Amino acid sequence: MEVIRNSRVMQQSVKEYIHRGNSIGFVPTMGALHEGHLSLVRRCREENDISVVSIFVNPMQFGASEDFSRYPRDVEDDMAELRKAGVDILFMPVAENIYPEGFATYVNVEHLSDRLCGHFRPGHFRGVATVVTKLLNIARPTRAYFGQKDFQQFLIIKQLVRDLDIDTETVMCPTVREADGLAMSSRNQYLSPEERNAATVIYRTLCEAKEMVISGKLTPVEVKSLMEKTLSAVPLVEEVQYASAFDPETLEDITSLNVTIYRKKNILLAIAVRIGKARLIDNELVEIAGIKGGNER
Ligand code: PAF
């Protein structure tokens, strides 16, 4: 595995691979790699000639009171995992290389960036969109891979790729879960054993809500209040930031499951909660076309 720390060197290296007709697959990460990241890497390797992974804890996407300084970093372990996984290039720039003195250009995807997590983390998606645009310009991948756990991030990246004519296919891969359903996340490391146990309520709530939607028993408004109630019943859940059904294209709230009103095939059930020092998110996409009773609501 070649380790590149400079964006110009990285650009030169991929240029040569592209010139030789190779496809480039890219997995951008902030490190502290877990099985979720490694599943993206495997898919990336399967579908491309050359696999590139980046590790960069992007300061621009963290708010002043957020966890940038304590975000888990384990470069040695990460490198060992990526070597074992057969990655060709690891791009690991320093912040000064990505944001040199005088840096003044930002990418802001309107509307989508203000909803859900954007409401609780102002500026976060501007930071994500800016760094991902830069990373795509540097690595020039044929395909870039992202996890469904960060569904809103994926929508925003898809939009910026389209709007800015970036020649990359964006691929969303399934969320990887622990045996008890908790979505894998680098931030799970912040949880004490009791908090880790409490966090299982997130996936349980999504499954319960999905079941209610599929059986046609509840309206979206009732689903929202059921989700909030289930999450709030766990004392270690300190804050439910959102828990509801959303339109998976616009992230607007859904008020009806009547397909003639709603006109879409899927809904997004999504949750963000605070447990201890961790802010955890998760989601499920639910197909509603043809569900029992769903068309009547
Ligand atoms: O999902 C992440 O790890 C980050 O938001 C990303 C896409 C690497 C940008 O910093």
Side-chain angles (χ1 to χ4, degrees):
M1 180 173 75
E2 190 184 356
V3 180
I4 299 180
R5 294 178 184 273
N6 179 281
S7 49
R8 294 291 158 267
V9 177
M10 183 71 208
Q11 276 175 320
Q12 192 53 40
S13 178
V14 288
K15 204 169 170 177
E16 285 160 24
Y17 283 114
I18 292 168
H19 188 69
R20 282 184 235 140
N22 291 302
S23 60
I24 313 268
F26 180 47
V27 181
T29 82
M30 297 206 297
L33 303 180
H34 50 67
E35 190 45 39
H37 297 111
L38 297 176
S39 72
L40 304 180
V41 170
R42 281 194 292 276
R43 172 103 182 251
C44 170
R45 282 199 70 226
E46 274 161 29
E47 296 180 354
N48 301 280
D49 301 321
I50 300 296
S51 52
V52 178
V53 173
S54 66
I55 296 182
F56 178 62
V57 186
N58 173 33
M60 200 192 282
Q61 69 188 72
F62 290 80
S65 59
E66 292 187 353
D67 56 345
F68 174 67
S69 57
R70 65 188 168 90
Y71 192 83
R73 291 162 172 89
D74 198 342
V75 173
E76 291 310 311
D77 267 23
D78 288 350
M79 283 172 70
E81 288 294 346
L82 295 175
R83 269 199 195 96
K84 211 162 50 175
V87 166
D88 298 298
I89 302 177
L90 168 60
F91 177 50
M92 217 166 33
V94 291
E96 295 70 37
N97 186 230
I98 295 294
Y99 303 119
E101 179 94 16
F103 183 87
T105 305
Y106 301 88
V107 178
N108 186 41
V109 177
E110 292 192 349
H111 311 302
L112 287 175
S113 297
D114 302 330
R115 312 250 338 129
L116 307 183
C117 291
H119 181 73
F120 296 92
R121 303 186 69 188
H124 167 65
F125 287 117
R126 183 176 90 140
V128 171
T130 302
V131 81
V132 170
T133 303
K134 284 184 66 87
L135 292 169
L136 294 178
N137 280 331
I138 295 167
R140 291 178 55 201
T142 320
R143 298 177 193 86
Y145 297 82
F146 303 88
Q148 186 187 321
K149 184 178 76 68
D150 297 300
F151 186 86
Q152 184 174 13
Q153 168 173 282
F154 180 75
L155 271 194
I156 287 168
I157 292 168
K158 215 166 80 171
Q159 178 87 40
L160 78 84
V161 161
R162 193 171 55 202
D163 290 353
L164 301 179
D165 302 304
I166 297 175
D167 191 12
T168 294
E169 180 191 337
T170 48
V171 183
M172 186 174 79
C173 303
T175 302
V176 178
R177 301 182 178 283
E178 304 284 356
D180 59 10
L182 180 66
M184 290 199 185
S185 162
S186 306
R187 290 190 166 97
N188 291 350
Q189 291 184 31
Y190 299 155
L191 300 169
S192 69
E194 295 73 27
E195 290 163 352
R196 167 67 187 77
N197 194 33
T200 56
V201 72
I202 301 169
Y203 186 56
R204 250 196 347 268
T205 303
L206 286 173
C207 292
E208 184 185 30
K210 184 174 176 175
E211 167 89 39
M212 288 300 156
V213 169
I214 290 173
S215 65
K217 284 192 189 132
L218 299 183
T219 64
V221 173
E222 289 162 345
V223 169
K224 177 176 159 67
S225 67
L226 174 78
M227 290 172 80
E228 287 172 347
K229 201 167 134 211
T230 309
L231 291 163
S232 309
V234 175
L236 287 175
V237 174
E238 282 163 33
E239 185 192 1
V240 180
Q241 293 192 337
Y242 59 81
S244 194
F246 303 96
D247 180 322
E249 289 169 18
T250 63
L251 301 179
E252 300 288 337
D253 293 291
I254 286 174
T255 49
S256 171
L257 288 177
N258 182 327
V259 287
T260 55
I261 297 170
Y262 174 57
R263 291 175 184 282
K264 305 226 170 122
K265 285 206 296 252
N266 294 307
I267 63 162
L268 177 76
L269 297 170
I271 291 175
V273 292
R274 283 199 162 278
I275 300 181
K277 290 193 181 69
R279 179 179 185 277
L280 302 175
I281 57 171
D282 200 355
N283 67 80
E284 278 280 300
L285 275 171
V286 184
E287 201 179 316
I288 58 155
I291 58 170
K292 197 171 126 204
N295 295 0
E296 318 315 322
R297 288 181 179 275

